[in-house]
Amino acid sequence: MPARSKAQQKAAGAALSAKRGETSVSSLKGASKEMYDSMTQKELEELASTPRKGLPDTADGDD
C-alpha cells in the first residue's frame, strides 16, 4: 500500500528505522510510534518506499 501523504511516508520511514534498530524506539512520537507498534517491517517498507513526488504534504490535503 502506498503512502497517501508526505507526512505518512516520513513517519513510516522513522518507524522503519526503529524496527531495523538504526534509531531508538524512544525517539519516536505520534504517528511513527503508532506505526512502529502496529505494523510489520514489510508494511513499513512499502509505505516508506512510496515516491514523495506528487504526494500532498498531509493526507487531508490542507496545505
Side-chain angles (χ1 to χ4, degrees), residues 14 20 24 32-33 45 58 60:
R20 291 177 173 165
S24 69
S32 58
K33 175 74 168 133
E45 286 171 353
T58 59
D60 60 16

Side-chain angles (χ1 to χ4, degrees), residues 28-52:
L28 299 177
K29 340 177 187 178
S32 58
K33 175 74 168 133
E34 291 177 26
M35 287 177 170
Y36 175 85
D37 291 335
S38 66
M39 298 178 80
T40 66
Q41 185 169 332
K42 183 175 183 197
E43 290 171 324
L44 290 169
E45 286 171 353
E46 289 176 20
L47 277 177
S49 67
T50 303
R52 292 182 71 148

Side-chain angles (χ1 to χ4, degrees), residues 13 15-23 36 41 45:
L16 179 59
S17 178
K19 278 268 192 208
R20 291 177 173 165
E22 297 167 356
T23 59
Y36 175 85
Q41 185 169 332
E45 286 171 353

